[in-house]
Each structure stands twice: as C-alpha cells, then as structure tokens.
Amino acid sequence: MTAPLFDPISPLSLWAAGLASLAPMVSFALIMLLLRSRARQAAAVSITAITISLACAVFLFIRHWGMKVPSQFSVNWMVSGDLAVPLGVLLDPLSLLMLLVVTTICFLVQLYSLAYMAKDPGFPRYFGFMSLFAWAMTALVLSPVLLQLYIFWELVGLASYLLIGFWYEKFSATQAGKKAFIMTRLGDAAFFLGLLLLLGVGGTLNILELNQIVLPEGISGFVAALSALLIFGGIIGKSAQFPLLTWLPDAMEGPTPVSALLHSATMVAAGVFLYGRLFPFFSHSAIVLHITLLIGTISMLTAATMAMVSRDIKQVWAYSTISQLGFMIMGLGAGGFFGGMFHLTTHAGFKALLFLCAGVLIHRFHTNDMVVLGQKGARQMKIPIICTVVAAGALSGIWPFSGFFSKEVILAGLAGQSQPVWLIAGLIGVFLTAYYTFRLIFIILLPKSFPGGDSQEPGNDSAPANTVMAVPLVILAAITLLLGFFQDPLQSFLAPAGGHGSGHGPAWLAPSALSLAIAAVALAWVEFGRKNARQIGFVENIKPLYSLFSNRWYLDHLYRWGVHNLLDNGIAALCRKNDDHVVDGGVHALGNSIMAGARRTAGWHRALIQRKLMVIFAVVFGLTLIMLVFG
Amino acid sequence: MIVAYTHVLILAAILFFIGMLCTIARRNLIMILLGLEIMLNAAAVAFVGASLRWQQVEGQVMAIFILAVAAVEVSVGLALIVCIYRQTATVDPACIESKECQLL
C-alpha cells in the first residue's frame, strides 16, 4: 500500500469527536452517582450533554463536508504480546452522518421525554440510561476498530435492556428486556466469533484495513466470507432480522420515547450501520451478499405481514421497523451502499416521528389499541396526527416525503440484480408497507363507531406538556419533509465514486413503486377509510393466514418448542446425564473403591489378634526373603 | 563343637516355626502363650549355639536373660488369662472379641 489509508486527524476535530462521545458518558456517571434523586438536575445534565454532542456532531459534519480521505486517531489501550488493542476515533462520511443522526434523534427524544416522563418516579434513572445509550451509540459510530465497536455494541445492548425493562415493576417489561438482551446476545456470540476468526487469521480488526480493495494479508477469501457471515449474525440479532426478529415487537414494553430511540437511531440502527461500516469487506464475497439479501427479504416480508393484522399502534410500527431494516439490508445486499445508508437516515427520522406521535396519543388516551384511539377522538389532536400522516407518507414511500427517495435508491439497486425476484419482493414490500401504514391511519382518523356516545374532548390539562412534546415532532416532520431533497449532495458525500451506489434505476421504477404505494393506500381506503367500511382487512377474512400473521408466524412458538425440546430435553438432559452418570459416577466409584479397599486393608489390622500376628509374621518373612534375594 | 552350627540354627528355626504355628493357630490363650514361650526358647537356642560357635559368653548371658523375661512374661500372661477367664468364662480369643461369648 503506497497511499496511506487515512489522514491524521486534526486536533480540533479530535477534541470535538471526543467531546461528542464523552459528554453523555460524563452525564451518565454524574446522574447515576450523584443525581439519582434529583429529577430536574438529572434532566438538565443529560440534555446539556446531548446538546454538546449534537453541537460537536454538527460542527464535525460541516467541517468535514466533502472529505475525500477518512481520518483516524488511535492509541493503544492494551498490549498483550503481538496483540494490541487500540481505541480511537475514525472520521469518515459514514461515521459523520451517523453521528449526526444519532445525536439529533437522541437530543429530540430526550427533549420529548422531559414531558412524557415528567411524572414518572424513575425520571433521573431514565435520563441516566438515556445518556448511557447516547454515549454507547456515539462511541460505536466513531469506532475505528471492530473490537471497540463490539464493546460499545454490547453497551448499546445493555442500555436497551435497561430501558426496555425500565418499568421493572411490570412483569412483561422485565420479560421483554430479558428477551431483547438474550436474543441479541445470540447474534452477538456469532459476531464475536467472527471477530476472533479475523483476529486469529488476519491479525487486524481495523475497519479501514479490512475495507481495502484487496483483502489484508493472510485473510483468504473463504475466511473473509466466513467471518463476514458470522458478523452478519450479530447484525441479525441487533437489527432484529429474520430468525431473531421477535424481540423487537416485545421491546415496546419500555416507555414510548425509548421505542422511538431504539427503533430509529440507536439499537437496531447499529446493526445496519455495522453492515454499512464493513460494506466493502462484505462485498468481497458474492455469496455473503446474496445471503444477506435473502435474510433481508424474508425479514421485510414476514414483518410486513405481521404488521398487517396487529391492532396495537406501537406494535405496528415495531413490525414496520423490522420490515424497513430488512429493506435496508436488501439494499446493502444488492450492492447499494448508499441506498441502505440513506434509507437508514431517512428511516431514523420518520420512525422516530411515528413513535413520538404514538407516544403523544398513548400519553393522552392511555391505550395502545388503534381502534380505541380512533374512537376516543385521537384525530382531534392536530399536531401529532398531521405529523403521523407525514411520517406515514414517508414510510409508505410517497412523494415528496423522504422515504420515497431512499426507497427508490434501494429499488434501483434491486433492479440491478440479475434475478427479478428481488425487485418483485421489494415492490411487494412497498405495497404491504403502504397498506398497513394507511390501515392504521384510516382506523385512527376515521373511526366508524362511537360506542361510548360522544367522544371525550381533549382537555387542556396536559396542554403545556403537549407543547413540549410538539417541538420535536415538528422538527422531525420538517426533516422528514426536506431530507429527501438532499439526496444528491449526500450521495456525493457518502459514496463519491458512485461505484457501489447506483444513482437512479430505470425510468419506470419510481412511478411504478409510487403507483403501487398509492394502490395500497387506495385498498386501505376501501377497507378501512370509506363510509360504511367494515374495517376488516382482507387478511382477517382468511382465518389461517390471519392466525399465522397475528401469531408472528409462530416463530415464538417455534423458539419455545426448540428451546424446550432441543435445549432442555436434548442438550441439557444429555449434559445432566453426563454429569450424573459419568462425572459423578466416576468420582463416586473412585471414592467407593478407595473406601472399600481401605476397609479391607484395615480388616487385617482390626481382626483377631492371631490374624494380626500372622500378618506380622508374613511381613517379616517376606522382608527377610527380599533382603536375602536382593541384598 | 560336636553339633554343627547350621543344625542348631535349623533346630531353632523349626522350634520358632512350631511356636509360631501354635501362636497363630490355637484357639486357647494358654496355648498361645505356650507358643510364645517356644518361640522365645528357639531364640535362646540360637543364641547358645552362636555362643558356642564363636566361643563368646554373651550368647549364654542372653539365654539367661531370655529365660528371665520368659518367666516374667508367663507369670503376667497367665495372670491376665485368669482375669479374662473370670470375666468371660472362656479362654478363646475369638470368642472374647465377639459379643455372643461375652454374654456367656
């Protein structure tokens, strides 16, 4: 390598990056150590910290706009023999963009939480965990080395566990927290194995070195593919992809702002971010790309079908997150680096918006059920409903919202694949997404029956809280509206060569995707929106399909069955048998035989005096004989 | 010396062996004591023979010591046996150790 992989980082940028990731950490420590019982100070500290982070992120983003060569700074944190573990900061377009996204969403969510969590007794603890989350995520995004990334990856998992189970008095919340933690751990184990493989064979975990056009010395194509697959296991867990997707819908047990954070910019985004981070490394092997494409497609379609039948507003958005993450992974798997990352960015905006709006409604009406929400008159809350519609338009990929642009890039990438099946799957996904999104919108906006007489008027008691909550909503809605028009500058920033990210697909693609989405909206209108609509979807009329979808394809049952039969009754039972019979049995047999032998030997000594004498004589004669023969 | 020292040693060995068998095999405390005496005397015979073989008087002195020790031993041993017999009404060592005999 003649050209260096990276520039040294300038001191000012280093300070800014360090500040961006360390400010939330300091805030976390402060809150947890000193401010556990001081709600106002805790919130102030946390929001100050995230504001500093946001300012640093904006500063870095502007300062490095248009950078060509990534800059990296690292120090050795631990040295053991040949192995050195560096920590540091990597600034390149991807990390800058993600840093900006993460800090923005964290900032807005924390602002929103001020009102949403105001009366919660765990208020300071909540902000402490939020800071932990922000710290872990910013440090993850800035990691130049996979090991550092892995450390913060786990911290993100921990923070989400703490926040999902935030209301720990609720049994279902603790269960959901555990489920999230354990299921993502399953993927993380694979991720860690992949890292060990890379480290053992290639001796490097540096992201820039792995991402070179030529694989680093010592890493064969097979090893690279295998470790990429293992790392993808971690992505599956974190981003709730197909085999490990059931934790995410349960994760809505946490407070709604947490879901907003979790589903948009932090936890699940970390998985897709990792894929983007290592994208050149992944794309060394076509098979790996195809596997990821397949996993993404399966997740996208299954999750979309699940969302079609759920009545819980948060759950619908949770399924749609899985579906959209699958869509991003499809985009990346099809070789569209920019598409995946752009969709990640736009999705972060509109999904946070959707959850925050849902939070306002839930906060006001104390129910998650969309039918009840509609009947209680949710449509009278102007700002959240308008914002929801904006975000829903983005989610469905309708012009001019941001989702339209990013989906189009991904679809263009899929159209570039040799088999048309991926593109068809992508278009089906677009159709389903628009359908379930507007199913929800119509159910809430156009309630059909008012069993409780006239609906309650939204009172003025929570008006100030609503204004605080409305600010992040409006900001996010503006972002959702405008972000799509920044596609070209972002593309030239993120993927300047344009090698992987194909610009626009065939001319028919965007109109057809848009018309599909509109057709889906129309279908939703016919079924849920128009007058005299029965508000029963076509899926709900087909009983087996309905039960399949609403039981999440029986995935949880399958896992339960698998855990019960394979783990508990299979491996665990075998291990217990081994423990009981082989290990314990061996030890017992050894002990028993020694005891029996000792007893028998002791018998000679314990017995009748004459027998003792006989022994003594025998020994004396024996010794004499031995002395005579050998002496 | 008329008798060969080897023969004396063989005699002593035979005596010792007889005494040993008597000690081990008999089921009577008095006979066991008798066996012990025979073994002691076998040792005394060996000492006397050695004294003759090397023309040293210490062997004979040892024989007299052994006689004295044997006498003391017999007196103490017999006294113990009498005691045991009074308590258990038997002189069988196996019977003394087992519980059934003690009931007798």
Side-chain angles (χ1 to χ4, degrees):
Chain A
M1 272 281 142
T2 48
L5 285 171
F6 54 86
D7 286 344
I9 204 163
S10 69
L12 191 59
S13 303
L14 182 60
W15 275 105
L19 203 57
S21 63
L22 291 183
M25 183 193 80
V26 173
S27 137
F28 167 65
L30 267 180
I31 292 173
M32 278 308 168
L33 292 178
L34 302 173
L35 302 174
R36 285 292 296 272
S37 53
R38 303 184 179 186
R40 297 174 69 88
Q41 284 95 325
V45 166
S46 174
I47 288 190
T48 315
I50 195 68
T51 314
I52 293 171
S53 284
L54 177 62
C56 292
V58 172
F59 167 75
L60 283 172
F61 194 74
I62 294 169
R63 183 180 158 97
H64 291 279
W65 176 259
M67 75 191 309
K68 292 281 175 276
V69 185
S71 48
Q72 179 190 324
F73 167 81
S74 66
V75 287
N76 273 341
W77 173 55
M78 190 182 86
V79 180
S80 158
D82 295 339
L83 177 70
V85 179
L87 288 183
V89 166
L90 167 66
L91 293 181
D92 70 344
L94 180 61
S95 67
L96 287 171
L97 177 67
M98 270 308 282
L99 184 65
L100 190 62
V101 171
V102 168
T103 49
T104 310
I105 302 282
C106 282
F107 172 73
L108 291 174
V109 167
Q110 289 198 11
L111 207 61
Y112 175 94
S113 306
L114 271 182
Y116 190 87
M117 301 296 290
K119 285 165 194 156
D120 198 280
F123 192 74
R125 185 165 55 96
Y126 175 82
F127 274 95
F129 291 161
M130 281 300 218
S131 290
L132 173 67
F133 217 152
W135 169 48
M137 198 62 202
T138 45
L140 185 153
V141 164
L142 291 171
S143 299
V145 187
L146 279 179
L147 195 66
Q148 184 188 348
L149 196 149
Y150 181 74
I151 293 169
F152 288 104
W153 176 275
E154 293 294 0
L155 270 180
V156 168
L158 170 70
S160 63
Y161 163 73
L162 292 172
L163 283 171
I164 292 168
F166 179 72
W167 285 319
Y168 56 83
E169 315 87 25
K170 232 165 73 181
F171 182 66
S172 58
T174 54
Q175 289 296 97
K178 272 191 279 184
K179 188 172 176 185
F181 195 68
I182 290 168
M183 285 186 92
T184 51
R185 282 295 313 160
L186 216 61
D188 294 349
F191 182 16
F192 193 60
L193 283 181
L195 291 192
L196 288 182
L197 183 65
L198 269 183
L199 192 65
V201 176
T204 181
L205 289 177
N206 189 299
I207 290 167
L208 290 175
E209 284 174 33
L210 290 174
N211 278 349
Q212 291 169 71
I213 300 162
V214 186
L215 278 173
E217 253 178 80
I219 299 183
S220 64
F222 173 71
V223 170
L226 187 61
S227 53
L229 270 186
L230 285 170
I231 292 173
F232 188 66
I235 296 172
I236 287 178
K238 214 50 148 197
S239 287
Q241 291 304 293
F242 164 59
L244 302 177
L245 55 78
T246 54
W247 69 266
L248 194 57
D250 287 359
M252 60 168 197
E253 286 293 341
T256 310
V258 172
S259 308
L261 193 61
L262 207 72
H263 285 257
S264 57
T266 51
M267 180 78 175
V268 296
V272 180
F273 168 75
L274 175 64
Y275 195 173
R277 181 87 278 185
L278 288 176
F279 183 70
F281 179 67
F282 273 82
S283 54
H284 281 303
S285 160
I287 299 170
V288 173
L289 284 186
H290 266 93
I291 290 172
T292 60
L293 188 56
L294 180 68
I295 296 277
T297 311
I298 293 174
S299 323
M300 185 198 67
L301 290 179
T302 48
T305 56
M306 293 174 198
M308 282 162 65
V309 293
S310 179
R311 273 166 62 112
D312 185 319
I313 176 167
K314 280 175 82 177
Q315 211 159 35
V316 171
W317 298 144
Y319 289 132
S320 94
T321 303
I322 299 173
S323 171
Q324 296 304 304
L325 289 166
F327 200 56
M328 291 168 209
I329 286 180
M330 281 174 81
L332 287 165
F337 170 69
F338 173 68
M341 287 301 119
F342 187 43
H343 195 53
L344 181 60
T345 312
T346 57
H347 175 261
F350 63 73
K351 187 51 62 68
L353 181 55
L354 282 173
F355 268 104
L356 294 183
C357 292
V360 174
L361 299 182
I362 292 167
H363 196 62
R364 177 72 189 79
F365 296 106
H366 304 288
T367 176
N368 282 11
D369 191 318
M370 55 170 99
V371 179
V372 180
L373 276 177
Q375 284 162 359
K376 282 191 174 177
R379 60 177 166 167
Q380 281 149 0
M381 302 185 77
K382 292 284 183 298
I383 296 176
I385 290 297
I386 292 170
C387 290
T388 303
V389 173
V390 168
L395 177 59
S396 318
I398 291 173
W399 197 88
F401 305 113
S402 58
F404 168 76
F405 299 92
S406 50
K407 279 197 178 181
E408 194 213 328
V409 182
I410 291 182
L411 286 173
L414 292 176
Q417 290 294 107
S418 50
Q419 294 103 332
V421 59
W422 306 116
L423 180 62
I424 293 170
L427 288 174
I428 293 174
V430 169
F431 181 82
L432 292 180
T433 307
Y435 173 74
Y436 69 69
T437 309
F438 277 86
R439 166 177 174 266
L440 188 149
I441 296 289
F442 289 137
I443 286 180
I444 287 187
L445 268 188
L446 307 166
K448 287 296 171 257
S449 56
F450 296 89
D454 53 353
S455 61
Q456 297 171 307
E457 289 296 314
N460 290 328
D461 55 329
S462 57
N466 281 342
T467 28
V468 174
M469 288 202 254
V471 174
L473 298 190
V474 174
I475 296 173
L476 279 171
I479 291 174
T480 305
L481 270 173
L482 297 177
L483 191 59
F485 298 100
F486 290 102
Q487 181 189 346
D488 288 336
L490 268 180
Q491 184 160 11
S492 59
F493 177 52
L494 264 186
H500 292 298
S502 49
H504 297 271
W508 51 267
L509 191 61
S512 58
L514 188 58
S515 53
L516 259 179
I518 290 174
V521 174
L523 178 62
W525 165 258
V526 170
E527 284 184 352
F528 300 100
R530 72 187 159 89
K531 272 188 184 170
N532 311 325
R534 292 173 53 229
Q535 295 212 329
I536 294 173
F538 66 91
V539 183
E540 281 156 282
N541 290 329
I542 309 168
K543 279 281 170 256
L545 217 55
Y546 175 70
S547 61
L548 177 68
F549 291 169
S550 59
N551 285 308
R552 303 181 189 167
W553 292 67
Y554 295 103
L555 275 178
D556 269 339
H557 297 262
L558 193 70
Y559 293 151
R560 192 153 303 233
W561 181 85
V563 166
H564 184 73
N565 283 325
L566 293 180
L567 286 181
D568 286 356
N569 290 348
I571 298 170
L574 275 181
C575 286
R576 186 177 307 141
K577 255 180 207 153
N578 176 49
D579 206 37
D580 284 354
H581 294 183
V582 179
V583 178
D584 282 6
V587 171
H588 285 161
L590 186 67
N592 287 343
S593 62
I594 287 176
M595 288 274 278
R599 212 160 270 150
R600 202 154 296 149
T601 322
W604 298 342
H605 181 71
R606 238 178 21 160
L608 198 60
I609 181 128
Q610 284 172 307
R611 211 167 292 157
K612 286 185 220 169
L613 275 175
M614 197 162 72
V615 172
I616 292 169
F617 285 131
V619 169
V620 169
F621 278 123
L623 286 178
T624 317
L625 264 181
I626 289 171
M627 228 172 69
L628 285 180
V629 173
F630 297 102
Chain B
M1 191 176 171
I2 303 159
V3 186
Y5 182 55
T6 329
H7 296 181
V8 177
L9 279 188
I10 289 171
L11 172 69
I14 290 169
L15 269 179
F16 188 87
F17 195 68
I18 290 169
M20 194 181 87
L21 273 183
C22 179
T23 319
I24 291 171
R26 296 305 295 260
R27 282 298 163 91
N28 189 330
L29 281 174
I30 296 169
M31 296 313 284
I32 291 171
L33 205 61
L34 210 68
L36 280 176
E37 289 304 309
I38 293 171
M39 285 195 289
L40 279 173
N41 285 327
V45 167
F47 271 119
V48 171
S51 159
L52 278 175
R53 166 78 175 73
W54 280 286
Q55 294 296 315
Q56 300 274 333
V57 82
E58 287 95 334
Q60 315 230 0
V61 173
M62 280 311 284
I64 292 168
F65 272 134
I66 288 172
L67 286 181
V69 169
V72 171
E73 189 223 308
V74 166
S75 58
V76 173
L78 280 176
L80 283 173
I81 290 169
V82 170
C83 271
I84 288 170
Y85 184 74
R86 280 199 186 147
Q87 285 184 3
T88 63
T90 178
V91 288
D92 184 346
C95 206
I96 290 165
E97 287 196 352
S98 73
K99 288 200 170 168
E100 298 102 45
C101 278
Q102 281 174 358
L103 292 176
L104 284 171

